Amino acid sequence: MKRLSRYRRHKAAGPLLLIFALFAIGTTFSVASATVTETQSVFDRSASIEEGKQIFLKGCSSCHGLNAEGASIAPSLIGVGAASVDFQVGTGRMPMADMSTQAMRKPRVYNEEETAALAAYVASLAPGPAIPGESELNYERDGNTAEGGELFRNNCAMCHNFAGQGGALSQGKYAPTLMGVEPKHIYEAMVTGPQSMPVFSDKTITPEEKLSIIKWIKSAEAEPNLGGATMGRIGPVSEGLLAWVLGLGLLIGIAVWLTTRAR
Amino acid sequence: MTTTEKKIGTAANFVDERLGAAKWVKKSLNKVFPDHWTFMFGEVCMYSFIILLLSGTFLTFWFDPSQKEVVYNGSYEPLQGLKMSAAYASTLNISFEVRGGLLMRQIHHWAANIFMAAIVAHLLRVFFTGAFRKPREFNWILGILLLTLGLVEGLLGYSLPDDLLSGTGLRITSAIIQAIPVVGTYAAFFLFGGEFPGTDFIPRIFTLHILIIPGIFLAVITIHVMLVWYQKHTQFPGVGRTEKNVVGHPILPVYMAKAGGFFFVVFGITAFISAVASINPIWLYGPYTPGQISAGSQPDWYMGWLDGLVRMAPPLETHAFGHTISWNILIPAVIVPGIIFTGMALYPFIESWITGDKREHHLLDRPRNVPNRTALGVMSITFVMISLINGGNDIIATNFDLSINQIMWFSRIGIFILPPLAFIITKRLCLSLQRADRELLLHGAETGRLLRLPHGEFVEVHAPISPEKAYLLQSHEQLVPLEIEDVDARGVRRPGAIKNKLQRRLSKAHAVSVPKVTEQELKEIENH
């Protein structure tokens, strides 16, 4: 103790003590507050955001602007969230093939990792709806088919048709078919409201109700054709066509045969 | 005489001595019906009607015509636990629990679609061949009545299951009723028993659909067929066929066998389609609630043209003295169909006024020989087709990558331009066909054989046509315009100058045709 107190007036004592104190406080703080893995994922995310930014600059910025701020031909992506990117890029709608009335579903251009990077980049610009995780999409467990059907008819059928086959909107736009759409994308579409579709926020339709809707859509998709060929599940137009072409067509054929044989 | 024959003879004699039926039966059995495939549309109508009666009766055993609210707990899982009307629940029950119920429902609905299609085909045949002319005008009007009844009956049947689509149809029906000036609102409240949807309309519609309208149907069909029986069937012109005879097969055995067999063919085809193709899958539509609607809500095809007319109407409304008149519904859904159906019913009289022809006709016209009537028919078909296309505009837009607005504008403009265009083109085509007939009669059929004459000229060899064909080509009457003088023999101006002028003009337009080949021309050709 004496040896230590001998140096207490040493000119290096002050700075050394300061360094020690800082080190001690810093160590205590880092041990108490942060975890090592968290630091790691921050590094990952920033790397992924950087990668997403590079993809964005190459593939998207010509329309959406260098900082995703939007332009006259494409909307701003600030605040649309990762879910929106995952829906638009994941279903192949973005990048758009042509600037016609509506982006249509097509084979996706970016693979899953690239899509995730793009989503991370856009999500880093401003907060927005996140991509729902696997556990949040367990519609088989959390959904109710009948309730989903009622919600679907209340909120979705007026555009997507009673069986989710899609329908026409004004000026060549359309509500696409919901058959064969992944549950994740249906969920994201409800949350983000792509193109002409309105946003169905969690206040309008709760997450459980969204899962019920997905469950009903999947049940309609899997439903066998109970009454025979459905002709598209689009209602009486195709039925009338069949009545004339097949029904009356066959009857005319028989009538001609009956009256020519008699001679 | 065998013992069987003796027995039958004794039995027949027993009936005849008491009812005096032999004379009538003998006369009836000797009745002759001409043969042509287009004459069988009427039979298709009648057989479809019988199928409708049979399958409909089956459905009434399980259908519950009530709007009482029930909770569904049947076997169709996606609807379990939902509140719905008893009518809808019982239709689900027929579809999924009743043995053969779904097939019967489908037979009933497909038969209705085929019934209406056959009525239209029958109507077109009668129209284009002029079978409606004297003495058959009354039967023509009965036919129009049957068509109208069919439209109403179909609409009511479509409304009964109380699914989302039928409720949507009823909503539009109530809107159309409300659009009638002055009485509309009262009439709608009266029919629906209060504000739409109310709780009364399913039981009311049920009574109309299964009792009143089928009853009227049966009565009118009976008169319709008896009139054909009494007035005899018309026939196409040909060798040996005149206005005074009917050439064909007697009712027994050939005609009876064919007609009876044809019933089973119609039933078979309807059952086949019902077995392989779904119609009106009400379980997918869901129960009706006024807050819901589906994209692509359409009526059955025979109402589709009316829906199309309503869809193309621009938003026109007038507000006067605290009342709203919705011209956008009133014109396309009430006035236009009213004009069309009244015009159709009166057409035989209109045509006879134009031509001045008051004679009886039992020989049919070939459509080309009456160009004006044929053109009018094609014009009407074009009108209905454009309306029908617009009725399915959303389905067409999604399936053919078109804009619904473009289809609507095409229909809005096309409904005024295309029917007159169709009239002109058809009239030209008819006259060209008449010219071709004349050519065929005068110069024979083209053989495709070329002959080089000694001086180098090429000519095509024409073969003479058969006498039967030649007879057919010149059997029709030459159309002649009415001669109506403005002044009578004493030089006094006749009354109704405007009417006379109109009649003269229409008559002149109606009589436009290629001159028939005269006897003299034929002789000249023979000597040639």
Side-chain angles (χ1 to χ4, degrees):
Chain A
M1 205 62 197
K2 242 181 196 166
R3 220 167 64 193
L4 198 65
S5 62
R6 209 177 340 152
Y7 296 108
R8 81 185 160 166
R9 304 274 178 216
H10 196 272
K11 59 181 175 187
L16 266 175
L17 199 66
L18 188 68
I19 285 166
F20 178 76
L22 279 175
F23 187 75
I25 292 167
T27 308
T28 320
F29 180 78
S30 75
V31 166
S33 70
T35 58
V36 180
T37 47
E38 180 70 12
T39 337
Q40 199 67 28
S41 102
V42 168
F43 279 123
D44 261 6
R45 197 190 289 159
S46 61
S48 161
I49 289 171
E50 190 49 41
E51 190 200 336
K53 185 170 185 180
Q54 291 312 315
I55 298 170
F56 182 86
L57 289 174
K58 277 185 209 135
C60 321
S61 63
S62 57
C63 299
H64 287 287
L66 287 171
N67 299 306
E69 77 278 15
S72 57
I73 51 167
S76 161
L77 298 182
I78 296 165
V80 299
S84 190
V85 178
D86 192 56
F87 174 83
Q88 299 282 2
V89 180
T91 59
R93 286 183 165 81
M94 289 291 153
M96 250 173 136
D98 67 320
M99 304 290 281
S100 58
T101 44
Q102 187 170 325
M104 59 171 87
R105 195 188 169 108
K106 57 182 187 293
R108 53 195 294 172
V109 175
Y110 297 112
N111 62 29
E112 240 160 82
E113 278 167 36
E114 289 165 330
T115 310
L118 267 173
Y121 168 65
V122 171
S124 76
L125 300 172
I131 300 168
E134 288 275 316
S135 57
E136 297 162 63
L137 279 174
N138 198 341
Y139 62 88
E140 283 294 350
R141 187 192 61 199
D142 301 328
N144 175 318
T145 316
E147 191 201 4
E150 199 157 32
L151 285 162
F152 185 88
R153 286 187 291 277
N154 264 325
N155 298 289
C156 321
M158 69 272 281
C159 298
H160 288 285
N161 141 309
F162 58 87
Q165 301 290 324
L169 303 174
S170 59
Q171 308 291 358
K173 292 185 291 241
Y174 59 92
T177 173
L178 303 176
M179 299 296 106
V181 181
E182 301 87 288
K184 181 175 76 162
H185 291 145
I186 299 175
Y187 195 99
E188 287 165 350
M190 286 190 269
V191 177
T192 62
Q195 307 189 61
S196 306
M197 184 164 159
V199 172
F200 293 95
S201 72
D202 286 355
K203 277 180 190 159
T204 322
I205 296 179
T206 65
E208 291 79 50
E209 290 175 337
K210 287 192 174 84
L211 293 181
S212 294
I213 291 177
I214 293 173
K215 191 173 182 186
W216 183 85
I217 293 172
K218 289 294 150 195
S219 127
E221 196 176 287
E223 186 176 304
N225 296 330
L226 299 170
T230 59
M231 297 158 291
R233 286 185 181 170
I234 51 171
V237 172
S238 49
E239 293 166 1
L241 194 65
L242 192 86
W244 270 96
V245 176
L246 191 65
L248 216 64
L250 280 174
L251 287 169
I252 288 176
I254 300 280
V256 170
W257 175 70
L258 271 178
T259 43
T260 46
R261 273 298 177 88
R263 276 179 200 148
Chain B
M1 205 183 272
T2 63
T3 41
T4 331
E5 278 173 352
K6 227 176 216 165
K7 271 182 191 163
I8 294 172
T10 318
N13 203 38
F14 178 84
V15 175
D16 184 40
E17 280 171 2
R18 278 151 190 85
L19 299 176
K23 205 176 153 197
W24 182 84
V25 170
K26 198 175 163 188
K27 199 180 155 204
S28 299
L29 291 186
N30 283 331
K31 262 225 177 312
V32 157
F33 282 87
D35 235 357
H36 193 268
W37 65 270
T38 58
F39 295 170
M40 304 194 85
F41 289 138
E43 280 179 51
V44 176
C45 299
M46 194 165 74
Y47 300 151
S48 308
F49 183 72
I50 296 170
I51 298 169
L52 284 166
L53 284 182
L54 293 175
S55 53
T57 308
F58 179 93
L59 295 176
T60 57
F61 294 156
W62 287 277
F63 182 69
D64 179 5
S66 148
Q67 277 164 285
K68 188 181 70 204
E69 196 175 80
V70 296
V71 175
Y72 181 69
N73 49 15
S75 58
Y76 184 66
E77 203 211 317
L79 291 173
Q80 272 169 9
L82 288 191
K83 287 178 186 167
M84 56 184 64
S85 66
Y88 184 68
S90 64
T91 315
L92 288 174
N93 181 50
I94 291 173
S95 305
F96 296 124
E97 268 87 26
V98 175
R99 195 174 294 268
L102 181 56
L103 180 67
M104 276 298 182
R105 264 197 61 225
Q106 299 202 147
I107 286 179
H108 194 66
H109 207 134
W110 279 121
N113 272 3
I114 292 172
F115 178 57
M116 293 306 294
I119 288 182
V120 171
H122 180 55
L123 173 119
L124 292 177
R125 199 279 295 170
V126 169
F127 180 81
F128 282 119
T129 58
F132 55 80
R133 289 173 298 171
K134 193 180 169 186
R136 295 181 179 80
E137 301 102 323
F138 185 54
N139 225 10
W140 166 265
I141 293 175
L142 288 183
I144 303 295
L145 181 65
L146 286 170
L147 171 70
T148 319
L149 277 176
L151 291 175
V152 176
E153 180 73 341
L155 174 77
L156 297 184
Y158 171 96
S159 307
L160 272 179
D162 202 28
D163 57 275
L164 186 51
L165 207 53
S166 58
T168 306
L170 276 175
R171 187 62 173 136
I172 297 166
T173 311
S174 96
I176 291 170
I177 297 169
Q178 283 178 1
I180 302 168
V182 188
V183 295
T185 316
Y186 302 99
F189 267 64
F190 173 70
L191 284 173
F192 288 91
E195 185 69 70
F196 183 85
T199 51
D200 290 347
F201 67 86
I202 293 278
R204 288 180 182 179
I205 284 173
F206 185 67
T207 311
L208 284 170
H209 183 79
I210 72 152
L211 178 72
I212 297 174
I213 297 180
I216 303 174
F217 248 121
L218 265 177
V220 179
I221 288 177
T222 311
I223 305 172
H224 196 69
V225 174
M226 275 171 69
L227 273 174
V228 174
W229 189 274
Y230 174 70
Q231 294 177 329
K232 298 171 193 67
H233 204 287
T234 50
Q235 56 186 347
F236 275 107
V239 175
R241 296 173 184 183
T242 67
E243 294 281 10
K244 303 246 183 268
N245 68 3
V246 185
V247 179
H249 295 282
I251 196 140
L252 272 179
V254 178
Y255 188 82
M256 200 59 156
K258 280 205 294 186
F262 196 46
F263 168 71
F264 292 104
V265 170
V266 175
F267 210 152
I269 287 175
T270 310
F272 167 73
I273 294 175
S274 311
V276 297
S278 165
I279 190 164
N280 203 21
I282 49 128
W283 56 90
L284 284 172
Y285 299 152
Y288 181 60
T289 19
Q292 299 175 349
I293 188 150
S294 164
S297 291
Q298 255 91 11
D300 276 335
W301 75 264
Y302 42 87
M303 294 299 257
W305 64 285
L306 283 171
D307 190 37
L309 281 173
V310 173
R311 283 179 189 217
M312 74 174 80
L316 283 174
E317 274 185 1
T318 344
H319 305 271
F321 308 111
H323 291 282
T324 306
I325 298 178
S326 304
W327 298 105
N328 51 346
I329 302 289
L330 190 63
I331 296 175
V334 181
I335 296 176
V336 172
I339 292 173
I340 289 176
F341 278 84
T342 316
M344 266 204 292
L346 294 180
Y347 184 75
F349 305 102
I350 297 172
E351 192 186 288
S352 118
W353 178 68
I354 291 173
T355 56
D357 186 354
K358 310 288 178 203
R359 296 166 300 158
E360 284 201 5
H361 292 278
H362 301 285
L363 278 179
L364 296 171
D365 285 323
R366 296 172 79 213
R368 69 185 61 174
N369 289 332
V370 195
N372 224 53
R373 181 204 295 151
T374 307
L376 191 69
V378 176
M379 178 171 143
S380 311
I381 294 174
T382 313
F383 181 88
V384 172
M385 279 309 290
I386 294 167
S387 315
L388 192 58
I389 286 170
N390 197 52
N393 55 9
D394 47 351
I395 301 292
I396 295 170
T398 40
N399 284 283
F400 296 100
D401 280 335
L402 293 168
S403 157
I404 198 168
N405 302 59
Q406 286 165 6
I407 301 173
M408 192 188 64
W409 276 105
F410 165 80
S411 330
R412 278 179 176 175
I413 299 168
I415 201 86
F416 290 106
I417 292 177
L418 295 178
L421 203 64
F423 182 91
I424 296 167
I425 292 171
T426 312
K427 198 161 176 177
R428 291 283 115 200
L429 280 175
C430 286
L431 291 172
S432 300
L433 284 169
Q434 284 187 13
R435 259 178 231 115
D437 280 355
R438 189 185 152 86
E439 192 70 17
L440 202 59
L441 202 55
L442 287 177
H443 300 121
E446 293 171 355
T447 56
R449 265 196 311 131
L450 283 182
L451 215 65
R452 193 180 175 191
L453 301 180
H455 56 278
E457 187 192 346
F458 284 98
V459 287
E460 189 187 359
V461 179
H462 285 243
I465 53 174
S466 69
E468 288 83 16
K469 177 111 186 176
Y471 178 83
L472 178 71
L473 294 185
Q474 56 184 337
S475 62
H476 66 280
E477 283 183 352
Q478 178 80 53
L479 297 173
V480 277
L482 271 182
E483 307 227 341
I484 308 162
E485 300 294 332
D486 281 335
V487 289
D488 64 14
R490 294 191 195 116
V492 178
R493 212 165 140 268
R494 292 171 48 170
I498 297 170
K499 205 186 106 202
N500 289 341
K501 206 172 170 184
L502 181 70
Q503 191 179 11
R504 195 167 53 213
R505 278 199 181 171
L506 285 173
S507 175
K508 201 177 160 197
H510 188 87
V512 172
S513 58
V514 174
K516 267 182 74 171
V517 177
T518 58
E519 293 283 325
Q520 206 184 342
E521 279 174 315
L522 272 180
K523 268 185 195 142
E524 268 173 35
I525 287 292
E526 267 166 33
N527 299 335
H528 196 49

